[in-house]
Amino acid sequence: MQQTPSNNRPRFPSGGDKRLEMRFDKAFPVIVGSEIFGDAPAVARNISLSGMMIEMADPLPLGSFVTVHFRMPDSGHDIVARAEVKHQYCFNFSREGGPLRARGVGLRFVEFISESGELWQETLSRYRVLH
């Protein structure tokens, strides 16, 4: 990663992974709450310290702010975060029986509620040691 002189933002080589943090491929249930769209069950598929990709039946609009409630596997603590919808995804694939699709959104955490931030960092630190 290189620094650009004009704005000191990282510049990445083309085609490289632009992720700044380690990601974990975990699948676990989450509840996504929105003041406008209500609560919706979803499944977290890919998670890092700064955000997560979740699969949900009806993806929320880009720029929406939501509250995400989740519990990491092997952790007894509930984590609550405010997040912004930054990306929308549609995965098309096929299985025996025909074509299927899965839809989801990429969320960027903007804040953790109460002690959730410390619990989240502690949980991810534990996973880094295990892998």
Side-chain angles (χ1 to χ4, degrees), residues 4-129:
T4 58
S6 60
N7 62 9
N8 284 341
R9 287 190 170 172
R11 189 176 74 210
F12 300 94
S14 62
D17 190 353
K18 295 177 176 75
R19 298 173 177 171
L20 296 175
E21 297 167 344
M22 183 181 290
R23 297 203 176 254
F24 298 95
D25 290 324
K26 300 283 180 191
F28 55 90
V30 299
I31 299 293
V32 179
S34 165
E35 291 180 12
I36 297 171
F37 300 101
D39 291 347
V43 176
R45 294 285 180 189
N46 187 308
I47 192 158
S48 75
L49 190 60
S50 63
M52 66 173 54
M53 194 286 279
I54 59 172
E55 182 181 328
M56 57 190 314
D58 296 311
L60 298 166
L62 292 174
S64 298
F65 284 90
V66 298
T67 302
V68 185
H69 299 258
F70 61 98
R71 181 179 289 185
M72 288 291 291
D74 305 326
S75 171
H77 304 288
D78 288 330
I79 298 173
V80 182
R82 294 277 301 147
E84 180 182 4
V85 176
K86 298 298 281 184
H87 305 280
Q88 292 180 332
Y89 300 98
C90 184
F91 302 102
N92 296 304
F93 58 98
S94 64
R95 284 198 180 149
E96 196 173 302
L100 298 170
R101 72 174 181 186
R103 298 175 3 168
V105 295
L107 300 177
R108 175 173 292 151
F109 298 136
V110 293
E111 72 175 319
F112 288 89
I113 309 302
S114 188
E115 298 173 353
S116 294
E118 291 95 31
L119 293 171
W120 180 228
Q121 289 180 355
E122 178 185 312
T123 300
L124 277 188
S125 296
R126 193 169 54 245
Y127 280 108
R128 287 184 182 152
V129 171

